[in-house]
Amino acid sequence: MNETVKEGKTTAIVAYMTMVGALIAISMNSEPKNEFARFHTRQAFGLHLVFLGVAIFLSNWYSEYAWYGLYVFYIVMWFYGFLGALNDKKQEVPVLGPYFQKWFTFIS
């Protein structure tokens, strides 16, 4: 196992534990900076942010099936990213992952 991945694995896993976990992971990775942790923190932060944004939108426009769709989407993407962190892989979540890496450059 790559030493960089080993050092950043805990931070990467913490990032997937709710939005608060992502914020904690950002501070955990402030010093020393770890590339693996940064990658997964960006992915998790983006997933949590998309979920919260769509949930706020749906709270005004109620459709039971839209909520089901949101939760299925979120859970599938979350598992994909979380399993990548557990398996020491830098795999972007489908569709949105590359954008998360571009948009959240403040997470360093």
Side-chain angles (χ1 to χ4, degrees):
M1 181 186 329
N2 186 343
E3 196 63 33
T4 304
V5 171
K6 187 177 178 183
E7 292 170 356
K9 190 171 185 175
T10 302
T11 304
I13 291 170
V14 167
Y16 286 99
M17 303 301 159
T18 73
M19 181 58 101
V20 174
L23 296 173
I24 291 169
I26 291 170
S27 69
M28 285 173 68
N29 197 42
S30 63
E31 205 53 52
K33 296 187 185 312
N34 183 285
E35 182 182 337
F36 184 76
R38 176 179 54 236
F39 176 85
H40 280 287
T41 301
R42 286 177 179 170
Q43 295 292 295
F45 183 78
L47 282 176
H48 299 315
L49 203 60
V50 165
F51 175 79
L52 291 172
V54 174
I56 289 169
F57 174 76
L58 288 179
S59 67
N60 292 323
W61 175 72
Y62 182 77
S63 169
E64 187 175 346
Y65 295 111
W67 280 102
Y68 291 148
L70 172 63
Y71 275 100
V72 168
F73 169 80
Y74 179 69
I75 290 168
V76 168
M77 294 297 180
W78 184 89
F79 268 112
Y80 187 85
F82 186 70
L83 290 176
L86 286 178
N87 294 321
D88 308 328
K89 296 179 181 173
K90 285 175 56 176
Q91 58 189 23
E92 295 174 331
V93 294
V95 182
L96 297 173
Y99 295 108
F100 295 159
Q101 294 302 315
K102 289 180 198 171
W103 294 339
F104 304 123
T105 55
F106 66 90
I107 299 174
S108 57

